[in-house]
Amino acid sequence: MAPRVLILPTALDNYRLAVRETARKWSAEQAKAYGRLLRAGFEGIPEAYARVRIKKDERAGNSLFRLHKIEHHYAAYIVVDDSTFVIAAVLHERMDIPAQLRTIERLSDREYEALMGHPRPKS
């Protein structure tokens, strides 16, 4: 079975904001290119996870999120199983990542349950 990468509404909003900010700061053409890079990075999460599955990212602290660096952003994702990954947020590298993860944890619980039909695992 091919891996699935799902994106929660909050993460989709974060992605759109990143693209809008790129357009505002640089250009519409640059924003489109950056959006493509982010989407390609999202699709690369399963492969990246397979390489680092046993390593815990210190920036994620004690949260259940994993982080995947994509250009100047991090995709904060939840591992459902070896073939299902749920992106909960897209965070800029200059953000206080641990604080942002604590904030989105509450949001992502509700979004995850709505998307998957069951509460997210607390492992």
Side-chain angles (χ1 to χ4, degrees):
M1 180 170 148
R4 295 185 313 159
V5 179
L6 308 171
I7 186 163
L8 295 178
T10 296
L12 189 55
D13 290 345
N14 298 156
Y15 161 80
R16 289 177 179 146
L17 177 62
V19 171
R20 277 196 311 272
E21 283 298 305
T22 302
R24 184 187 63 76
K25 194 169 187 177
W26 303 103
S27 71
E29 187 173 312
Q30 182 66 29
K32 288 178 187 175
Y34 195 65
R36 285 190 298 273
L37 287 171
L38 287 173
R39 288 190 309 272
F42 298 159
E43 294 302 318
I45 286 174
E47 182 181 323
Y49 173 73
R51 286 193 312 269
V52 297
R53 75 179 328 133
I54 60 172
K55 287 181 77 177
K56 189 73 171 158
D57 191 324
E58 292 178 16
R59 291 165 299 199
N62 291 329
S63 79
L64 297 174
F65 296 109
R66 295 280 192 150
L67 296 173
H68 179 61
K69 179 86 163 137
I70 308 166
E71 298 294 318
H72 297 286
H73 284 81
Y74 288 98
Y77 67 96
I78 301 163
V79 179
V80 177
D81 56 42
D82 286 342
S83 64
T84 307
F85 305 85
V86 178
I87 302 172
V90 180
L91 308 170
H92 192 274
E93 66 189 356
R94 291 188 179 165
M95 291 177 163
D96 180 342
I97 301 296
Q100 291 295 318
L101 292 177
R102 287 188 299 274
T103 299
I104 64 164
E105 191 156 357
R106 291 180 302 277
L107 292 173
S108 65
D109 280 343
R110 289 190 307 271
E111 291 178 334
Y112 180 95
E113 189 165 353
L115 179 69
M116 301 300 287
H118 57 81
R120 80 181 158 105
K122 303 287 182 186
S123 54

